[in-house]
Amino acid sequence: MKFQSIALAAAIAAAGLSSAMLPAPARAQAAGEQFIPLLVYRTGQFAPLGIPWADGKQDYLKLVNARDGGVNGVKLAYEECETAYDAAKGVECYDRLKAKGSGASGFDPQSTGITFAVTDKAFNDKVSIETMGYGLSQSVDGTVFEWNFPLLGTYWTATDVILQDIAKKEKGSLKGKKIALVYHDSPYGKEPILLLQKLAAQDGFELALFPVTPPGVEQKSTWLQIRQQRPDYVLFWSAGVMTPAGIREAQASGFPREKMYSVWWAGSDHDVKDIGAGAKGYNTVTIHNSASRDKVHDDLKKFVYDKGQGTAANADEIGVMAHTRGMMISMLQVEAIRAAQEKYGKGKPLTPEQVRWGYENLDLSADKLKALGFGEIMRPIKTSCSNHMGTDWARIAQWDGAKWQVQPDWYQARKANLDPLVAEYSAKYAKDKNIKPRSCS
């Protein structure tokens, strides 16, 4: 059987498995509880990524309820809604859950396409959109995007960090190099193109674009073109079944995996573990310390999985990169609620507008992260009225054939490269949507 058939079968199997083992979709909400909607995709082309991501989100909420009794005594209620990474289904889920219970405490759409589709609605509905590491890159600008929070990083910050690491290998210069972008032909995959075009002109490298038709299990022709054009490096904007398919095609075509750099959604354990040594050298950018376990993992096992209440089939998923990212997303949401309670009153559920204030006033120091059990996983973050991303620390992790090796250097995107682009495209969005930017003075 050809690999493409195997990959497609695996995707179908993953979808079927997730349906058969689907966790309880909701925790029934009682009076006085805070409601958190959970958009997920446990089925479809991105299911291999979506399942551990969804499990991590729900597991952290279970942990907060079991270990802490909620947030200052306010228990967390939640409900999953399956989108299959489809924008129309995502909008249906959003519309159904936005006003449920205490009102939605913010949506993690788990999809750039869904984020695009619900951003306009969020302005009118006054509901926060949390997009940790994805979404609209220009939504960093809180003066225009009052309800969007691309926490910890965007696809533009990821792109800039990758190019910094490549330049470091090339003695500080990309001039004369050829860099290819192999990308999922969707809003998600297209996000880095604007910045890459700008940096190609600025830094003197040649950019080659290779869109891959979803779901991406058939990439042979793409990698034949890569072999013919011989780029120096490949940036890989992939997710789900597309990722192992691309790595295997790179291996078959002889392209060095150590010269492949993926965005974080194409750099999870499930993307490489079955390929093993064939993926050795493959790089990914990461917004957290991908190889580390921390106290939050031990607490999750003790308070949730050891009691038979885990969302995943077993505790082996604890510490898997996509699962940890899911927990980070829910942790940031919980801490936004906690911050808002400091302003609006502890011990009671908050409105979506009050929680939005919490997102905009996150201040998680190293000591706070350590207390939460995330001190070894991520770096401090602080948001503000004008900066809805916070600090965009990122690192490179490399697959050694058996496990991820996180490289020592932390990077931040270069403001001189990103700030003008954010300003230009947030202003364009404001003009197109007739939004008056607010003052943050």
Side-chain angles (χ1 to χ4, degrees):
M1 182 184 287
K2 292 182 179 180
F3 170 71
Q4 286 80 5
S5 299
I6 296 172
L8 186 57
I12 295 170
L17 181 65
S18 68
S19 298
M21 301 180 65
L22 194 66
R27 181 188 180 281
Q29 185 174 6
E33 294 187 334
Q34 189 79 41
F35 178 66
I36 298 177
L38 300 175
L39 269 58
V40 303
Y41 42 85
R42 296 180 177 276
T43 63
Q45 58 177 300
F46 286 171
L49 168 65
I51 293 170
W53 185 346
D55 289 345
K57 289 199 298 187
Q58 191 174 140
D59 274 343
Y60 189 75
L61 301 181
K62 290 178 177 179
L63 174 61
V64 171
N65 281 339
R67 181 191 63 192
D68 308 330
V71 183
N72 294 316
V74 179
K75 287 289 187 76
L76 305 173
Y78 50 83
E79 181 175 341
E80 281 196 359
C81 190
E82 174 64 39
T83 71
Y85 199 81
D86 178 84
K89 290 181 180 178
V91 170
E92 290 175 6
C93 288
Y94 168 90
D95 283 336
R96 182 163 65 81
L97 297 177
K98 64 185 179 185
K100 185 159 185 164
S102 58
S105 301
F107 283 88
D108 162 39
Q110 276 197 210
S111 157
T112 297
I114 296 174
T115 302
F116 281 27
V118 301
T119 289
D120 291 350
K121 298 170 75 68
F123 275 97
N124 295 319
D125 297 331
K126 300 188 183 305
V127 174
S128 297
I129 306 297
E130 176 194 358
T131 55
M132 189 189 86
Y134 70 98
L136 287 79
S137 296
Q138 65 268 40
S139 64
V140 170
D141 183 357
T143 67
V144 173
F145 294 90
E146 186 175 357
W147 298 92
N148 291 64
F149 293 88
L151 302 173
L152 301 180
T154 68
Y155 293 138
W156 289 351
T157 68
T159 301
D160 193 75
V161 165
I162 290 171
L163 292 185
Q164 286 184 60
D165 196 69
I166 293 173
K168 184 178 177 183
K169 292 180 178 179
E170 296 294 337
K171 299 180 180 180
S173 176
L174 297 178
K175 188 173 183 178
K177 299 298 178 183
K178 186 171 187 177
I179 296 176
L181 175 68
V182 176
Y183 64 97
H184 190 272
D185 195 6
S186 67
Y188 155 62
K190 295 173 182 176
E191 269 290 294
I193 294 175
L194 277 172
L195 181 60
L196 282 171
Q197 290 171 333
K198 174 186 174 182
L199 295 181
Q202 172 185 297
D203 297 338
F205 64 84
E206 180 183 350
L207 176 64
L209 301 176
F210 296 92
V212 174
T213 302
V217 292
E218 175 52 70
Q219 297 179 50
K220 187 173 293 295
S221 62
T222 297
W223 289 94
L224 285 175
Q225 291 179 71
I226 294 287
R227 185 167 68 182
Q228 292 165 357
Q229 296 190 26
R230 301 172 63 87
D232 296 286
Y233 293 92
V234 167
L235 274 58
F236 195 37
W237 238 256
S238 169
V241 297
M242 177 179 165
T243 305
I247 297 171
R248 290 186 187 275
E249 290 294 357
Q251 180 185 15
S253 68
F255 188 82
R257 268 69 72 210
E258 63 269 19
K259 293 197 171 186
M260 289 180 70
Y261 281 78
S262 78
V263 70
W264 29 69
W265 307 120
S268 296
D269 305 74
H270 59 264
D271 293 318
V272 289
K273 65 182 180 181
D274 290 339
I275 305 174
K280 185 177 180 180
Y282 179 75
N283 301 286
T284 189
V285 62
T286 176
I287 48 181
H288 65 89
N289 199 357
S290 305
S292 287
R293 290 178 67 96
D294 208 340
K295 185 176 180 297
V296 69
H297 296 111
D298 297 333
D299 284 354
L300 182 63
K301 185 175 185 303
K302 176 181 176 181
F303 290 98
V304 179
Y305 278 83
D306 285 352
K307 297 180 180 180
Q309 297 171 0
T311 310
N314 57 65
D316 292 344
E317 194 171 300
I318 298 175
V320 170
M321 282 205 286
H323 184 275
T324 296
R325 286 186 187 137
M327 287 205 299
M328 287 172 64
I329 286 167
S330 283
M331 182 273 286
L332 292 167
Q333 191 164 43
V334 168
E335 292 312 303
I337 294 168
R338 193 186 311 278
Q341 283 191 8
E342 291 294 328
K343 178 176 175 64
Y344 295 104
K346 296 180 181 179
K348 62 181 182 180
L350 304 176
T351 68
E353 290 186 75
Q354 290 171 332
V355 176
R356 192 212 68 83
W357 186 94
Y359 276 116
E360 194 169 272
N361 290 274
L362 281 173
D363 187 5
L364 299 180
S365 65
D367 287 343
K368 285 182 181 178
L369 289 172
K370 183 177 180 180
L372 291 168
F374 285 85
E376 297 297 321
I377 295 173
M378 59 181 284
R379 300 194 79 168
I381 175 176
K382 185 175 183 177
T383 56
S384 69
C385 172
S386 60
N387 179 5
H388 277 197
M389 174 177 63
T391 312
D392 61 309
W393 292 106
R395 300 171 98 175
I396 301 298
Q398 188 174 63
W399 182 250
D400 71 1
K403 60 184 180 299
W404 292 104
Q405 298 287 351
V406 180
Q407 304 307 299
D409 292 337
W410 282 98
Y411 293 98
Q412 284 183 282
R414 294 164 291 186
K415 291 176 70 65
N417 289 338
L418 268 66
D419 285 0
L421 210 58
V422 168
E424 178 184 353
Y425 281 87
S426 62
K428 182 179 185 302
Y429 188 92
K431 182 179 180 181
D432 290 346
K433 304 295 182 179
N434 197 28
I435 297 170
K436 181 181 179 181
R438 61 186 175 137
S439 172
C440 285
S441 59

